[in-house]
């Protein structure tokens, strides 16, 4: 295989530049370590986007965000929602968020940690919210998800259920549904299922 002078010189140039970049990176790491600081972990694009989303949060007063693992672990956090209207008025519901390093190209994994009688949340805490599944788009953000969760409590949807029994009761007998929600939130049984107090 014959190489002309340009191809050979270009390949040598690329090789030298790659080595220079590696040397510069190593020098930067050594300088950081010499200054007594731990080597800084490079943030993933998902972490950078999540940091932006969190800094721009505009939550309703009935919602709050906490970081139980500290400020160094932004990718796992909790959101509490305390609806100020509707069937779930006065209850407090806790959700865990696990955010992937490829966020926003993948929706966060959201689970309800509070056992709740709800047509769109099953007894294992799985949440049926379209923007967490098929309608997720990278332009959506954490604020959008929290508002979506809040909306589930002010307008539960019996047409897209995870808890089919609760959905049927909501559709066929809204007064009984309201009674079941109040009983569950007060710490009691609905059918054979016990719900811990959340008011």
């Amino acid at each position: 295989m014959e190489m002309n002078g340009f191809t050979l010189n270009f390949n040598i140039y690329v090789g030298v530049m790659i080595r220079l970049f590696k040397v510069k990176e190593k020098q930067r790491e050594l300088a950081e370590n010499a200054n007594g600081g731990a080597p800084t972990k490079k943030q993933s694009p998902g972490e950078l986007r999540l940091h932006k989303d969190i800094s721009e949060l505009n939550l309703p007063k009935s919602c709050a965000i906490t970081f139980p693992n500290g400020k160094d672990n932004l990718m796992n956090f909790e959101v509490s929602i305390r609806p100020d209207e509707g069937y779930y008025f006065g209850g407090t519901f806790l959700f865990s968020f696990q955010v992937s390093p490829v966020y926003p190209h993948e929706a966060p994994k959201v689970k309800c940690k509070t056992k709740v009688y709800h047509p769109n949340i099953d007894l294992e805490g799985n949440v049926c919210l379209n923007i967490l599944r098929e309608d997720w788009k990278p332009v959506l953000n954490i604020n959008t998800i929290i508002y979506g969760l809040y909306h589930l409590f002010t307008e539960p949807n019996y047409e897209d259920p995870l808890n089919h029994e609760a959905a049927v009761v909501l559709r066929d007998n809204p007064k009984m549904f309201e009674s079941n929600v109040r009983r569950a939130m007060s710490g009691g049984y609905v059918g054979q299922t016990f719900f811990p107090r959340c008011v």
Side-chain angles (χ1 to χ4, degrees), residues 27-40:
Q27 286 174 342
R28 187 185 62 75
E29 286 178 19
L30 289 172
E32 286 175 356
N33 291 338
N35 292 333
T40 56

Side-chain angles (χ1 to χ4, degrees), residues 88 90-94 112-118 122-125 153 180-190 192-199:
Y88 298 91
T92 301
F93 307 94
L94 189 64
C112 186
K113 295 177 77 172
T114 307
K115 192 172 184 180
V116 59
Y117 179 79
H118 195 292
D122 69 18
L123 298 177
E124 287 75 45
F153 288 102
N180 288 348
V181 168
R182 287 284 146 210
R183 188 176 321 114
M185 286 175 38
S186 297
Y189 283 88
V190 175
Q192 300 295 312
T193 305
F194 178 77
F195 294 86
R197 183 178 176 84
C198 65
V199 288

